[in-house]
């Protein structure tokens, strides 16, 4: 009995990146996979959280319950932060474009979007203040100048650092969503 999901003869990149034909286009979807940097940082955060939660149990059993409760809250905050880090990114649906950040989520209806295009510009490296030359997916809105709008995706973000093909594919998909839904 062949088990294709366990064999090594399939390439990792052969999996379809596009939405399934029967998937509902009204649901919010991220048109790309989270990058290895984002997943790695979140995994390290969850590993740290497991140690903190284990420490909370030990403190609650051997010490005071209030100290254990404080450590439990710290552990749960680390878990929530790691899960929120995985949730960050650009999401699309028929209703519009949604940029999910660590603390805030902003939704832009397609009616307010003039264009979405890839530009060559200095971009932030892994979200830090240091900038390097790279590509960015710029959003042009009706109510704001281009300079006031941060880029949607960059080649040096947690999702696309070292993965230029994945950036190009994601940028093309977001541009296609914008072109299709601005018309309709």
């Amino acid at each position: 009995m062949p088990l294709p999901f366990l064999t090594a003869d399939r390439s990792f990149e052969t999996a379809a990146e596009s939405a399934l034909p029967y998937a509902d286009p009204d649901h919010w979807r991220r048109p790309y996979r989270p990058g290895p940097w984002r997943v790695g940082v979140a995994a390290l955060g969850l590993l740290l959280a497991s140690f903190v939660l284990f420490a909370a149990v030990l403190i609650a059993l051997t010490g005071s319950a209030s100290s254990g409760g404080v450590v439990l809250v710290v552990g749960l905050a680390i878990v929530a932060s790691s899960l929120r880090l995985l949730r960050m990114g650009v999401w699309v649906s028929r209703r519009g474009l949604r940029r999910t950040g660590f603390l805030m989520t902003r939704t832009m209806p397609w009616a307010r979007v003039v264009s979405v295009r890839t530009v060559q510009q200095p971009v932030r490296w892994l979200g830090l203040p240091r900038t390097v030359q790279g590509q960015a997916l710029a959003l042009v809105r009706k109510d704001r100048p281009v300079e006031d709008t941060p880029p949607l995706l960059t080649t040096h973000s947690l999702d696309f650092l070292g993965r230029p093909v994945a950036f190009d594919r994601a940028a093309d998909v977001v541009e296609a969503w914008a072109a299709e839904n601005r018309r309709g």
Side-chain angles (χ1 to χ4, degrees), residues 121-132 151 154-158:
Q121 69 180 30
V123 296
R124 296 174 73 181
W125 184 75
L126 293 178
L128 299 172
R130 177 178 175 224
T131 60
V132 295
T154 66
T155 53
H156 291 78
S157 67
L158 284 172

Side-chain angles (χ1 to χ4, degrees), residues 131-145:
T131 60
V132 295
Q133 192 64 28
Q135 289 184 334
L137 187 65
L139 172 69
V140 180
R141 297 171 45 173
K142 288 182 180 178
D143 55 350
R144 276 196 192 169

Side-chain angles (χ1 to χ4, degrees), residues 18-83:
S18 62
L20 298 173
Y22 55 84
D24 186 10
D26 288 330
H27 285 98
W28 291 100
R29 70 187 76 231
R30 184 182 353 213
Y32 57 91
R33 292 183 185 150
W37 286 91
R38 182 176 308 280
V39 173
V41 169
L44 288 175
L46 291 173
L47 181 66
L48 174 66
S50 69
F51 288 119
V52 172
L53 292 172
F54 184 66
V57 170
L58 290 179
I59 290 171
L61 291 176
T62 61
S64 68
S66 63
S67 297
V70 168
V71 176
L72 176 70
V73 168
V74 169
L76 293 176
I78 295 171
V79 169
S81 297
S82 297
L83 294 178

